[in-house]
Amino acid sequence: MDYLSILIADLRTLITELGKNGGQMSPSVYDTAQVLRFAPPGEGPEPAIEWLLTQQQMDGGWGSLAAPLSRHTPTLAAVLALHQYGRDAAARTAMQEGIDFLHQTAYQWQPPLPEEMPVGVELIFPQLVGEAERAGLGISAQPYTVLLELGAYKRQLIQKHSPKAGTTPVFSWEAWGQEPETAVIDGTGGIGHNPSATAFWLHKATNWHNLFTERAGAKRYLDLASAATFMGIPGIVPTAWPVDRFEQIYVLHTLQLAGLLDFSPLADLIDPELDNVSRAMTPKGIGFSDHFVPDGDDTYAALAILKGSHRPIDRKNLDLFRTETHFNTYPGELQPSPTVTARAIHAMSLWGERYKPAEAFIRQRQRADGRWNGDKWNTSWLYTTYLSVFALKATGAPEHQPAIQKAINALLAYQNPDGGWSTAGVSNLTETGMGILTLLLCQSPQGQTAVQHAFTWMLENYRPFAFNETMCWQNKQEYRIHRVDRTFELAAMLSVALALAGAV
């Protein structure tokens, strides 16, 4: 079988599995540590503790080196879990190295606080610092004063509004919840689609005998979330679950951006998925799960694929998350996301509409070297640059061409000698796929050689139907949503392969 046929077969298998196990997610250090602390599996914590130890980096911290601000929360959570369970010398050493890491990197939280902070960090990290202080671990709150002040402000807002199930504050319930109220339990049986929040709720509900049924549902939620990591180790969980709509919509949107949404060898699988998204769309938009509030990111991606595939869709949904300058992921959010705004600009272009303030918002966030920084939802500059370039190009406006050319120049300048790309330095398939798709989109003559070089590297490193561990997405910490990230890889290789075969 030639590689073109293999790529198509790989992508067909991926589409067939969309939504399976609620979406396939990488394991989370932070959430695993919190589950072990508050609702350890009946089989015991030891296997998951051993896994936590294997995840520690050489500098003593946990989390991806490419996302420095995402490392403090999982590191402190892991330190607290090891303090609770670590009995041997290796665990005690790892714990002390984690504490040393936190001391050495505390300066990163000096003001001003960046826009691309991890989700809920202003609520969660102060809570962990307080627990570490009470445990006598020598962690001081002083370096995090501004973060603590922001967290206190957010807590006041949350307490004033008493959030209910399936809303964004409940995703971080472990940082502000007091009593195990049933109003925060959603249709999954868990709390906020989050294992940490669910584990803490279970901890609070330990002696509430009238909540027997709800506790059983929450425990089942944790088991199902653990299964979505494909690790097979009790207690190891992802940072969010389920994410079935997120997985489904983003895979289809990535195929759309790559020009493959109507690719005939995939049509028998894609059409039912599009019909399913169409049925799931509501007047308020769509969320990353049917049990969670709608968000701008999923909504605009869904609007784009439905409009692009000629499904009936209400144009009014374009205005759901619009502000005076950009588009929000969730109403009232403090840190705006360029990638959400980029998706919205693209969706509007399919109706033949433009929103110039949002276009200016995108252009203003381009760096002097031509790249766009990673944002609050994804740490990869290649991801943000791809979506930003696509949005600006979709408008058809000539005034965006200088920004697009700067992005092309950046991709050429930052391509690794082996042909790949990466935010962290060492080439990986996911971000190389993003780089290829950006250059293919621009159809730049100077990008053709770079695309061929990158494609050669991808083929050499591609393993059909296989996993890889690149994590670019950011929530409470970095993570990989495998089927979405795999689609960037397969779509890029397939696009080049089809071009070489003369099929497009």
Side-chain angles (χ1 to χ4, degrees):
M1 183 183 290
D2 63 278
Y3 67 76
L4 181 56
S5 299
I6 294 172
L7 290 169
I8 293 172
D10 200 343
L11 193 49
R12 285 184 58 85
T13 299
L14 183 151
I15 296 169
T16 302
E17 294 179 343
L18 285 178
K20 185 178 179 181
N21 292 98
Q24 187 175 357
M25 294 280 283
S26 62
S28 162
V29 168
Y30 166 72
D31 292 274
T32 296
Q34 294 289 72
V35 166
L36 293 178
R37 295 179 62 215
F38 297 120
E43 297 88 340
E46 289 80 10
I49 288 290
E50 286 299 316
W51 176 81
L52 278 180
L53 290 172
T54 67
Q55 301 304 298
Q56 189 173 28
Q57 302 283 2
M58 293 293 292
D59 61 6
W62 278 262
S64 170
L65 300 177
L69 290 180
S70 291
R71 303 189 65 200
H72 299 82
T73 296
T75 295
L76 188 46
V79 164
L80 288 166
L82 292 175
H83 177 69
Q84 182 172 335
Y85 291 112
R87 301 290 181 258
D88 59 21
R92 290 194 295 272
T93 298
M95 184 179 71
Q96 186 56 55
E97 289 175 348
I99 293 171
D100 293 342
F101 167 83
L102 290 168
H103 288 156
Q104 293 160 8
T105 57
Y107 70 91
Q108 294 174 349
W109 291 103
Q110 294 302 302
L113 296 176
E115 287 187 349
E116 62 272 16
M117 292 193 303
V119 172
V121 66
E122 72 279 6
L123 293 167
I124 298 166
F125 194 70
Q127 182 90 351
L128 296 175
V129 169
E131 294 178 52
E133 285 184 314
R134 291 189 291 275
L137 297 181
I139 302 292
S140 170
Q142 192 278 328
Y144 313 105
T145 301
V146 177
L147 190 65
L148 269 62
E149 290 173 351
L150 178 59
Y153 169 71
K154 290 285 288 286
R155 279 194 186 84
Q156 287 180 346
L157 293 179
I158 289 170
Q159 290 164 359
K160 185 183 299 184
H161 292 95
S162 300
K164 303 304 180 186
T167 60
T168 53
V170 182
F171 188 77
S172 299
W173 193 85
E174 75 273 24
W176 58 267
Q178 298 297 321
E179 293 188 351
E181 54 185 314
T182 57
V184 295
I185 301 175
D186 58 49
T188 69
I191 314 301
H193 282 46
N194 181 253
S196 301
T198 304
F200 191 62
W201 186 93
L202 274 168
H203 173 69
K204 289 289 187 178
T206 299
N207 297 318
W208 290 58
H209 302 297
N210 61 316
L211 297 178
F212 176 81
T213 301
E214 290 82 358
R215 286 179 7 228
K219 289 177 181 176
R220 174 169 170 74
Y221 167 87
L222 290 177
D223 289 341
L224 291 172
S226 181
T229 67
F230 285 67
M231 294 290 291
I233 301 176
I236 293 182
V237 292
T239 192
W241 187 88
V243 290
D244 46 346
R245 286 291 176 206
F246 173 16
E247 181 179 87
Q248 176 192 47
I249 292 168
Y250 278 44
V251 164
L252 296 174
H253 192 236
T254 301
L255 292 175
Q256 180 185 35
L257 298 187
L260 297 169
L261 194 62
D262 57 357
F263 183 48
S264 57
L266 306 177
D268 62 314
L269 300 177
I270 288 177
D271 282 345
E273 297 292 338
L274 289 167
D275 291 338
N276 184 266
V277 174
S278 181
R279 290 191 296 270
M281 180 64 78
T282 76
K284 294 182 178 180
I286 196 168
F288 69 81
S289 150
D290 291 343
H291 300 289
F292 207 82
V293 293
D295 64 84
D297 222 352
D298 288 285
T299 296
Y300 290 120
L303 289 173
I305 60 177
L306 294 176
K307 181 67 172 176
S309 61
H310 309 293
R311 263 70 178 177
I313 186 65
D314 193 341
R315 178 251 169 265
K316 293 179 181 177
N317 282 14
L318 287 173
D319 299 323
L320 287 171
F321 300 90
R322 187 199 298 240
T323 75
E324 291 183 358
T325 59
H326 61 280
F327 293 83
N328 277 337
T329 314
Y330 295 102
E333 66 184 354
L334 297 179
Q335 296 92 26
S337 165
T339 56
V340 174
T341 296
R343 289 186 194 278
I345 291 171
H346 168 230
M348 291 190 72
S349 75
L350 298 174
W351 269 268
E353 298 184 25
R354 293 178 61 187
Y355 188 46
K356 292 185 179 181
E359 295 170 24
F361 173 88
I362 293 293
R363 286 201 318 271
Q364 289 161 7
R365 277 156 177 74
Q366 187 176 27
R367 292 171 51 170
D369 67 2
R371 297 180 295 171
W372 275 264
N373 284 337
D375 76 0
K376 64 190 289 184
W377 302 119
N378 195 296
T379 63
S380 171
W381 70 264
L382 287 133
Y383 172 80
T384 312
T385 299
Y386 177 42
L387 291 183
S388 298
V389 168
F390 198 100
L392 296 179
K393 193 169 179 59
T395 68
E399 64 262 32
H400 299 323
Q401 190 54 42
I404 293 171
Q405 185 59 53
K406 284 177 65 177
I408 294 171
N409 295 341
L411 282 162
L412 299 177
Y414 284 94
Q415 187 173 26
N416 289 334
D418 61 13
W421 281 278
S422 172
T423 296
V426 179
S427 298
N428 64 71
L429 288 166
T430 303
E431 292 183 287
T432 300
M434 296 170 184
I436 285 178
L437 290 171
T438 309
L439 290 176
L440 289 176
L441 170 69
C442 297
Q443 297 182 334
S444 162
Q446 64 262 50
Q448 292 178 0
T449 301
V451 166
Q452 185 58 55
H453 193 191
F455 178 62
T456 300
W457 180 86
M458 289 194 80
L459 282 184
E460 289 173 351
N461 290 274
Y462 166 61
R463 301 295 179 268
F465 312 100
F467 294 85
N468 72 69
E469 297 182 351
T470 302
M471 292 188 286
C472 299
W473 296 94
Q474 179 168 251
N475 205 303
K476 291 179 179 178
Q477 73 165 99
E478 76 286 347
Y479 67 96
R480 176 179 177 84
I481 180 164
H482 177 72
R483 293 177 185 125
V484 174
D485 290 333
R486 187 66 164 173
T487 302
F488 281 112
E489 301 165 10
L490 295 175
M493 288 187 287
L494 184 57
S495 295
V496 179
L498 289 170
L500 292 174
V504 292

